[in-house]
């Protein structure tokens, strides 16, 4: 049997208590490790020099003011995310918000990275993409050939349903 050893451990990525699990992927555009560490943020980490490189805010929410601090705040979190390896500027996130008196709200969002601003810009949002069922996985479908501009995304839910999503027009940034 082959042996496996730990090469390094990095403990400085910020993980918020509202996040139930941490997702991790390689960003095909930057080649950095990307994690969903802080609510609303994807953090890029460079394992070659053990540094945090970027924090991209892709989920916007309004924090509660001090006057409202006695009321409970339900912070939305990025539950899942996927990069498109065929078009490295595409990103999909699934965020959720839930609470004691609030049923779980879930949104699937498609993002396009802007080289000009250095940020991801929202391209499309689908609220409750699987109805009352919760999204459990997302992935981009690889393109059939290099000339194809059609981007397709697959999502799966806890009821066993798989859906395929694609652009609704010929424009690459419209779903």
């Amino acid at each position: 049997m082959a042996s496996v050893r730990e090469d390094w451990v990095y403990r400085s990525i910020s993980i918020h208590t509202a996040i139930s699990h941490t997702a991790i992927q390689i960003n095909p555009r930057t080649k950095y490790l990307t994690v969903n560490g802080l609510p609303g943020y994807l953090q890029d980490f460079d394992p070659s020099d053990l540094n945090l490189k970027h924090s991209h805010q892709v989920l916007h929410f309004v924090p509660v003011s001090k006057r409202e601090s006695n009321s409970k705040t339900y912070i939305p979190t990025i539950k899942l995310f996927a990069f498109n390896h065929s078009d490295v500027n595409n990103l999909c996130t699934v965020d959720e918000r839930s609470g004691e008196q609030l049923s779980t709200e879930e949104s699937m969002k498609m993002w396009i990275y802007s080289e000009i601003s250095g940020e991801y810009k929202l391209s499309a949002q689908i609220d409750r993409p699987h109805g009352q069922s919760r999204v459990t996985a997302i992935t981009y479908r690889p393109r059939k050939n290099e000339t194809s501009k059609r981007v397709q995304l697959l999502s799966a839910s806890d009821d066993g349903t798989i859906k395929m999503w694609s652009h609704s027009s010929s424009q690459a940034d419209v779903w």
Side-chain angles (χ1 to χ4, degrees):
M1 183 177 284
S3 63
V4 177
R5 66 180 173 81
E6 181 179 282
D7 282 340
W8 51 262
V9 176
Y10 185 78
R11 298 189 195 282
S12 295
I13 294 175
S14 300
I15 306 295
H16 191 273
T17 56
I19 296 174
S20 59
H21 68 280
T22 302
I24 187 168
Q25 291 197 23
I26 300 291
N27 183 329
R29 191 178 51 75
T30 63
K31 308 300 185 234
Y32 296 146
L33 293 175
T34 302
V35 298
N36 59 337
L38 293 173
Y41 286 86
L42 294 178
Q43 298 172 304
D44 287 343
F45 167 75
D46 185 353
S48 66
D49 64 7
L50 301 178
N51 282 317
L52 187 64
K53 295 296 185 181
H54 304 285
S55 284
H56 300 282
Q57 186 174 13
V58 294
L59 181 58
H60 300 276
F61 63 95
V62 178
V64 176
S65 69
K66 285 187 175 193
R67 287 168 63 178
E68 299 168 326
S69 63
N70 61 345
S71 62
K72 182 95 171 154
T73 304
Y74 301 104
I75 299 171
T77 59
I78 301 169
K79 182 173 91 169
L80 300 167
F81 65 95
F83 292 103
N84 184 347
H85 292 266
S86 297
D87 182 345
V88 297
N89 290 326
N90 289 338
L91 166 69
C92 178
T93 60
V94 175
D95 58 75
E96 73 177 5
R97 190 176 76 160
S98 59
E100 297 160 4
Q101 299 173 357
L102 177 71
S103 64
T104 300
E105 295 176 358
E106 193 172 67
S107 294
M108 187 166 67
K109 298 175 182 170
M110 289 68 159
W111 304 86
I112 304 288
Y113 184 78
S114 168
E115 296 290 343
I116 296 167
S117 68
E119 297 178 354
Y120 288 95
K121 302 291 184 188
L122 185 62
S123 171
Q125 176 174 333
I126 303 161
D127 294 324
R128 298 195 178 277
H130 281 262
Q132 297 303 313
S133 298
R134 297 177 73 177
V135 177
T136 57
I138 52 174
T139 189
Y140 281 94
R141 181 179 181 198
R143 290 190 179 148
K144 292 183 180 179
N145 57 53
E146 292 296 317
T147 59
S148 173
K149 293 199 183 278
R150 186 173 183 165
V151 176
Q152 293 179 314
L153 177 77
L154 295 149
S155 63
S157 66
D158 59 6
D159 69 354
T161 302
I162 296 174
K163 291 185 177 183
M164 184 181 302
W165 308 86
S166 61
H167 290 125
S168 60
S169 72
S170 60
Q171 293 177 300
D173 61 347
V174 176
W175 285 79

